[in-house]
Amino acid sequence: MGLSSMRVRTQNGPSDLRAIWWEDDVVKAIDQRLLPERLEIVAIKTYEEMAEAISDMTVRGAPSIGAAGAYGMALAWQSGVDLVGASRVLKATRPTAHDLFHAIDRMLSIGDGLVEAAKGYADSIAEKCRLIGEAGNSLIEDGMKILTHCNAGALATVDFGTALAPIRVAHRSGKKIFVFVDETRPRFQGAKLTAWEMVNEGINHAVIADNAAGYYLRSEVDLVIVGADRVAMNGDFANKIGTYEKAVLARENGVPFYVAAPVSTFDPSLRSGDGIVIEQRSPDEVLIVNGVRIAPAESAALNPAFDVTPAKYVSGFITETGVLAPDELAKMLAE
Ligand code: MRU
């Protein structure tokens, strides 16, 4: 499985895990739907099961679903299934994260030996996230209070994280930091997953209601770091719904706002964020909380999973190649 950095407490004591990996001819993944109550590992044996695991968010987060797409192609290759057909099924799962399409196209272009190729892809994502952690750590000073949205941690990215990687590195290097964790309605990836990673890593944090972010941005937050699901060439980017309003509030209050993402999240075919397809998810995610309907039976709900933040609100992108201003992206990708 390779080196991993996500420290978790299992029944057998502390262990280092990745979000997803290959083991004994199948793919193993943390079932992210069950955290933080239960840590369960699922075995995914076919590409159809992988498509289901991506759709139902057993595996989630842009770089992790990229790895899932690569591993899904490896499962298809291993059982002699038509790769183009499998790629269509895997690509039809979730529309917004660029990593999924990038990874599947990579596997299609390789065409053979896909188990080793997919393992290599996942390892390379983990290494890129480690480098993002090193680069982003330079932005974090001792004593800083940092706000993050959704979960761009190891769970979302195979290992280390994107937004959470610099936070992890800063903490491990002895900096005293505090993290405001947006709960991230409607699926609570912040409250459930980011907080779980913070607890495992021993990082000081508090979960805040999404509506409280403005209150803290106005008073206490020194730095915002978020992840991304797709970045256009002009620096507009899609991330979990609610990111846009955090970016505007950060600008209004003079708080630096950084986006951490590997190059696999950047879409060279998009000139601006206008072309990003936003996934619309089930109204039930908004209307039903812990099995209880919270709105009148007659009420409908709208549930866009992502929003697009214009590049003008971004202080910089933290990538595996370093920290870049939005207007440096196109040049970096051309290289
Ligand atoms: O819908 P999800 O949970 O798969 O959303 C993706 C995300 O986790 C976030 O938008 C994240 O900030 C970017 S992925 C590292």
Side-chain angles (χ1 to χ4, degrees):
M1 181 162 85
L3 273 180
S4 58
S5 76
M6 181 166 50
R7 293 177 185 157
V8 301
R9 291 171 201 159
T10 70
Q11 285 169 337
N12 305 322
S15 178
D16 284 358
L17 278 183
R18 282 186 172 182
I20 184 166
W21 66 95
W22 186 275
E23 185 180 314
D24 298 337
D25 297 337
V26 302
V27 180
K28 298 273 182 80
I30 294 176
D31 188 337
Q32 299 192 37
R33 298 167 306 171
L34 305 179
L35 292 171
E37 289 87 5
R38 296 203 307 280
L39 174 62
E40 275 185 25
I41 310 298
V42 291
I44 301 163
K45 303 184 192 70
T46 65
Y47 82 89
E48 292 100 329
E49 286 180 10
M50 182 63 83
E52 185 67 26
I54 298 170
S55 295
D56 70 16
M57 295 178 68
T58 301
V59 181
R60 54 146 291 285
S64 279
I65 65 174
Y71 282 136
M73 292 295 286
L75 288 167
W77 175 80
Q78 183 174 249
S79 49
V81 172
D82 168 52
L83 289 180
V84 174
S87 74
R88 285 202 195 102
V89 172
L90 288 162
K91 283 183 177 181
T93 51
R94 298 194 69 193
T96 304
H98 183 249
D99 303 62
L100 178 68
F101 302 88
H102 171 83
I104 292 170
D105 286 341
R106 172 78 64 86
M107 294 303 119
L108 270 179
S109 73
I110 295 171
D112 197 12
L114 291 195
V115 173
E116 286 312 310
K119 285 187 200 169
Y121 183 87
D123 284 347
S124 79
I125 291 294
E127 173 60 9
K128 289 178 169 105
C129 289
R130 191 187 68 73
L131 293 169
I132 285 170
E134 299 291 336
N137 179 35
S138 65
L139 301 168
I140 299 177
E141 292 167 20
D142 193 28
M144 268 189 168
K145 295 182 177 177
I146 304 161
L147 182 135
T148 191
H149 189 67
C150 196
N151 171 262
L155 290 166
T157 68
V158 179
D159 206 356
F160 292 98
T162 48
L164 296 193
I167 290 170
R168 214 181 278 283
V169 173
H171 171 74
R172 289 184 183 180
S173 68
K175 293 177 191 168
K176 291 196 173 28
I177 54 172
F178 182 87
V179 181
F180 292 97
V181 177
D182 289 347
E183 61 178 346
T184 318
R185 277 281 279 152
R187 290 185 65 99
F188 297 105
Q189 288 95 329
K192 293 184 176 195
L193 305 178
T194 296
W196 184 77
E197 292 197 37
M198 294 290 100
V199 169
N200 286 327
E201 191 80 31
I203 298 176
N204 284 331
H205 68 284
V207 177
I208 59 169
D210 292 322
N211 298 338
Y215 174 85
Y216 286 110
L217 279 161
R218 195 164 174 222
S219 53
E220 295 188 43
V221 177
D222 300 301
L223 177 67
V224 179
I225 311 180
V226 298
D229 294 84
R230 192 179 290 247
V231 186
M233 287 303 86
N234 69 343
D236 295 351
F237 74 101
N239 193 51
K240 183 53 57 191
I241 190 76
T243 301
Y244 172 42
E245 61 189 44
K246 308 306 180 271
V248 175
L249 282 164
R251 170 61 52 86
E252 172 69 16
N253 291 285
V255 179
F257 182 95
Y258 283 88
V259 180
V263 169
S264 51
T265 306
F266 293 74
D267 184 346
S269 75
L270 282 184
R271 292 163 67 98
S272 82
D274 294 345
I276 299 178
V277 176
I278 299 296
E279 178 181 9
Q280 304 291 326
R281 293 187 61 85
S282 167
D284 286 352
E285 291 183 347
V286 176
L287 294 170
I288 300 171
V289 178
N290 289 340
V292 177
R293 189 177 170 104
I294 56 168
E298 296 81 0
S299 296
L302 302 170
N303 187 15
F306 304 94
D307 55 27
V308 173
T309 299
K312 68 177 181 180
Y313 294 109
V314 179
S315 307
F317 287 91
I318 311 169
T319 75
E320 62 267 37
T321 64
V323 181
L324 302 170
D327 60 7
E328 293 174 314
L329 286 183
K331 183 166 168 283
M332 181 270 288
L333 286 158
E335 283 166 6

